[in-house]
Amino acid sequence: VINAGRFDGIMGVLLPILAVKKLHQKKTKLPFHIECVAFADEEGVRFPTALMGPQVLAGTFQMKDIQFKDSKGISIQQALNNFGGNHRKLNQLKRSKKSIIGFVETHIEQGPVLEKKKLPLGIVTGIAGISRFNLSVKGYSSHAGTTPVNYRKDSLLGLNEINLICENIAKKNDDVIITIGEIHNKPNVPNAIPSESNAVLEFRSINNKK
C-alpha cells in the first residue's frame, strides 16, 4: 500500500523467517512443519481483484481472472511471467485443509492506534470486509473567471459533499471506515469548472450488518 508505512508487507515476511532462523540456531525441534508464505497486492490496488495469493492456496482462484489488467494494460498473467513466475502452475499450489494446523500473520500496524495508546503489540480480533464502488458525478464545465458561483454545476463540489456525508456516517459508527482516496477530475485544469468527477468509494467494516 502506497505510503502505508516503511515496513508495510516487508516486516510481515521477515519476522517469520527470523523466527524460523532462531529455531534453527537453538536446534529446537517442533512436531510440525513451518512454511513461510509471502503474498503481494492483497488489497487489489494494481489489479481489479484482491486476495489472489490466499485464493490460489485455497483453490478458489478463478483462472479467467488472470487476464485482468492494470492501468498500463499489463495483465496478471504478464506480470507473473515478467518476474519469473509461471501462471500455468497456479492450480498446483492448492493446499489441503487437513494438512494445515494453523495460520499466523505478523504485520506492522499501519495506523496510529497502538502508538497513541503506547502499546507494543496488538492482537487482531476481527477481519474487516472491503467493498468498493465506482462513483461518477456529472456537472457542467465553463470558464472559471466568468461563471458566477450561483450559476455553476461543479462536479467536484458535489463529490466533496458526498465525501463529507461519508465522513459523518463513519464518525457515528465506530466499526465503519469510509474512504474516497482515488479521484479523477475533468477537465482538470485551474481555469475551468469541473464537469465530471470520478472516484472510488471504499467501505470497510468488521460487521456485515453495517
Side-chain angles (χ1 to χ4, degrees), residues 33-50:
H33 172 70
I34 296 178
E35 185 174 10
C36 297
V37 183
F39 299 126
D41 195 27
E42 289 301 275
E43 294 192 22
V45 175
R46 180 178 179 184
F47 299 102
T49 185

Side-chain angles (χ1 to χ4, degrees), residues 78-92:
Q78 288 176 290
L80 281 171
N81 295 338
N82 286 345
F83 70 79
N86 188 341
H87 68 278
R88 294 184 179 88
K89 293 185 177 181
L90 288 179
N91 288 331
Q92 299 176 21

Side-chain angles (χ1 to χ4, degrees), residues 57-169:
L57 292 187
T60 60
F61 181 74
Q62 301 294 319
M63 286 302 293
K64 61 181 177 60
D65 293 347
I66 206 166
Q67 298 304 327
F68 283 152
K69 296 181 179 180
D70 63 12
S71 60
K72 296 181 180 179
I74 299 173
S75 67
I76 296 176
Q77 177 178 322
Q78 288 176 290
L80 281 171
N81 295 338
N82 286 345
F83 70 79
N86 188 341
H87 68 278
R88 294 184 179 88
K89 293 185 177 181
L90 288 179
N91 288 331
Q92 299 176 21
L93 296 175
K94 180 181 178 180
R95 306 299 170 86
S96 169
K97 292 181 180 180
K98 296 180 180 179
S99 66
I100 299 174
I101 297 175
F103 180 89
V104 177
E105 179 182 5
T106 54
H107 207 294
I108 65 164
E109 190 200 23
Q110 295 161 306
V113 178
L114 291 180
E115 182 181 4
K116 294 291 184 182
K117 295 185 176 182
K118 300 186 183 303
L119 296 173
L121 185 69
I123 299 176
V124 175
T125 56
I127 298 176
I130 303 176
S131 295
R132 289 178 181 157
F133 304 91
N134 292 320
L135 180 63
S136 181
V137 180
K138 302 292 178 67
Y140 184 82
S141 186
S142 56
H143 197 287
T146 59
T147 308
V149 174
N150 291 338
Y151 295 160
R152 297 184 180 190
K153 295 181 179 179
D154 189 326
S155 61
L156 186 56
L157 282 179
L159 181 60
N160 289 339
E161 290 187 19
I162 293 173
N163 204 356
L164 288 173
I165 291 171
C166 290
E167 181 188 33
N168 289 330
I169 293 173

